[in-house]
């Protein structure tokens, strides 16, 4: 099986590539080659199969063509501009998250091989007046540019899948926490920062009220979710070709309490209130929890607890 990962230089893409390279298989199928692409050439994992790393811009026809030659059997399309950046730069967000996605799906259609395409969407596809627990059937009502772009990309993938151009599976991932590395431009970046920075001995700003409830999953759970989606039978996600990934519904206060429980009061005290109305407005409008009926029925993974998420981050950081 030939695998392509776009956005492979990002945290999830890199972790996915390393996971697949380490096993040499995905859902029982033998991996014969991997192509990894991003704006800057991604780092190649150690692997027993050929790994090709490309600096490729999906807004450019030549970049897309390079990614799709040779034709992959399975594509993880993770390339995107994150929420805060998409809200700050309207044109850039639409060019990358929608226009380039539409062109890429058309290029996949032109292959004539109908590969499996696993893409990611976001809780930001929902917004406005939401129930406490969002059911699988709730309509998309995004309240920011990033969520709007993701919602439209979901529908594009579903339509191409319906027409038989590809076998699409879109996963709405929870907010990922704890992300390793440096903060990014996502509006939700603080959800990792309030754990990651204090554990590293640094101060962290809290831009929202501690009572805010968020929907989160660990990096490992996100990778396992994408791999699970790739192995589902064709049509398992229904006509929308989309599923809301399983997560934990927690308040920021509960996250800080878990941090104190694991690392001590001195570490937790490194988080200081720093209200940011823009961030609070974006993240505060996202869903607080999902029913995930379909994901549960299909056996998608879920994290055990906040404590295990933080403990896994500590182990990863030490490693």
């Amino acid at each position: 099986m030939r695998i392509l990962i776009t956005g492979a230089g990002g945290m999830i893409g890199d972790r996915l590539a390393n996971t697949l390279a380490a096993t040499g298989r995905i859902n029982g199928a033998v991996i014969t080659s991997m192509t990894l692409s991003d704006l800057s050439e991604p780092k190649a994992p150690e692997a027993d199969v050929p790994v090709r790393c490309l600096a490729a811009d999906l807004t450019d026809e030549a970049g897309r063509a390079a990614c799709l030659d040779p034709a992959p059997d399975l594509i993880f399309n993770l390339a995107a501009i994150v929420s805060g950046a998409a809200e700050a730069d309207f044109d850039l967000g639409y060019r990358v998250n929608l226009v380039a996605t539409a062109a890429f799906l058309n290029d996949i259609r032109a292959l004539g091989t109908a590969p499996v395409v696993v893409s990611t969407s976001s809780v930001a596809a929902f917004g406005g007046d939401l129930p406490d627990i969002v059911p699988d059937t709730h309509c998309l009502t995004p309240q920011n540019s990033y969520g709007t772009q993701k919602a439209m990309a979901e529908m594009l993938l579903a339509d191409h899948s319906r027409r038989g151009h590809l076998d699409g599976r879109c996963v709405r991932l929870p907010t990922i926490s704890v992300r390793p590395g440096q903060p990014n431009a996502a509006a939700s970046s603080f959800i990792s920062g309030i754990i990651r920075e204090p554990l590293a001995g640094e101060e962290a700003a809290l831009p929202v009220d501690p009572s805010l409830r968020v929907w989160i999953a660990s990096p490992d759970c996100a990778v396992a979710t994408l791999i699970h989606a790739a192995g589902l039978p064709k049509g398992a996600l229904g006509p929308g070709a989309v599923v809301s990934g399983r997560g934990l519904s927690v308040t920021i206060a509960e996250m800080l309490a878990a941090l104190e429980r694991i690392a001590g009061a001195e570490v937790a005290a490194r988080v200081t209130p720093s209200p940011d109305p823009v961030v609070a407005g974006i993240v505060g409008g996202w869903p607080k929890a999902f029913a995930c009926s379909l994901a549960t029925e299909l056996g998608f993974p879920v994290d055990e607890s906040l404590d295990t998420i933080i403990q896994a981050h500590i182990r990863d950081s030490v490693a």
Side-chain angles (χ1 to χ4, degrees):
M1 175 174 286
R2 294 187 298 270
I3 293 179
L4 165 65
I5 304 175
T6 70
M11 187 273 294
I12 295 296
D14 178 71
R15 191 171 290 234
L16 174 63
N18 277 277
T19 299
L20 297 180
T23 60
R25 291 175 174 268
I26 179 166
N27 300 314
V30 175
I31 298 170
T32 56
S33 69
M34 295 173 61
T35 297
L36 312 179
S37 78
D38 212 313
L39 285 175
S40 299
E41 185 176 306
K43 182 181 177 181
E46 293 185 9
D48 294 330
V49 298
V51 178
R52 185 172 59 121
C53 296
L54 301 175
D57 185 348
L58 296 190
T59 66
D60 177 69
E61 183 178 358
R64 299 192 302 271
C67 291
L68 295 173
D69 184 19
D73 304 301
L74 169 60
I75 300 169
F76 291 96
N77 186 25
L78 311 182
I81 294 296
V82 296
S83 54
E87 193 69 12
D89 192 328
F90 183 89
D91 293 325
L92 177 64
Y94 273 90
R95 186 165 68 249
V96 174
N97 292 342
L98 183 61
V99 177
T101 296
F104 190 46
L105 293 177
N106 272 326
D107 291 345
I108 294 169
R109 170 192 175 192
L111 294 174
T113 57
V116 172
V117 178
V118 179
S119 68
T120 55
S121 186
S122 166
V123 298
F126 298 90
D129 187 13
L130 295 170
D132 290 339
I133 300 177
V134 178
D136 289 346
T137 54
H138 196 82
C139 62
L140 301 182
T141 52
Q143 301 296 297
N144 54 77
S145 294
Y146 176 73
T148 302
Q149 293 149 17
K150 285 296 188 179
M152 290 191 284
E154 282 186 23
M155 294 181 186
L156 280 172
L157 184 75
D159 198 35
H160 277 282
S161 193
R162 178 183 67 85
R163 297 297 295 263
H165 304 155
L166 49 83
D167 181 358
R169 297 105 187 273
C170 183
V171 180
R172 297 182 189 120
L173 289 176
T175 297
I176 305 305
S177 182
V178 181
R179 286 180 173 268
Q182 299 300 311
N184 63 16
S188 59
S189 181
F190 74 91
I191 298 175
S192 288
I194 59 172
I195 304 297
R196 180 185 59 230
E197 270 70 85
L199 286 171
E202 301 172 9
E203 300 294 315
L206 177 60
V208 302
D209 190 275
S211 65
L212 177 68
R213 184 168 291 276
V214 292
W215 182 244
I216 68 169
S218 69
D220 285 339
C221 184
V223 168
T225 294
L226 296 176
I227 291 173
H228 188 78
L232 292 174
K234 185 176 182 179
L237 300 185
V242 64
V243 65
S244 294
R246 299 172 73 185
L248 301 180
S249 180
V250 299
T251 65
I252 298 301
E254 289 170 341
M255 295 184 70
L256 295 177
L259 176 64
E260 180 172 348
R261 187 163 58 245
I262 292 168
E266 181 180 350
V267 172
R270 293 173 183 147
V271 178
T272 56
S274 181
D276 186 326
V278 174
V279 171
I282 293 174
V283 179
W286 293 350
K288 309 300 186 277
F290 286 84
C292 293
S293 302
L294 179 60
T296 302
E297 178 186 335
L298 293 174
F300 276 87
V302 65
D303 290 294
E304 181 181 337
S305 67
L306 265 175
D307 287 32
T308 59
I309 289 176
I310 295 173
Q311 288 162 350
H313 173 71
I314 292 172
R315 286 195 302 271
D316 288 349
S317 298
V318 171

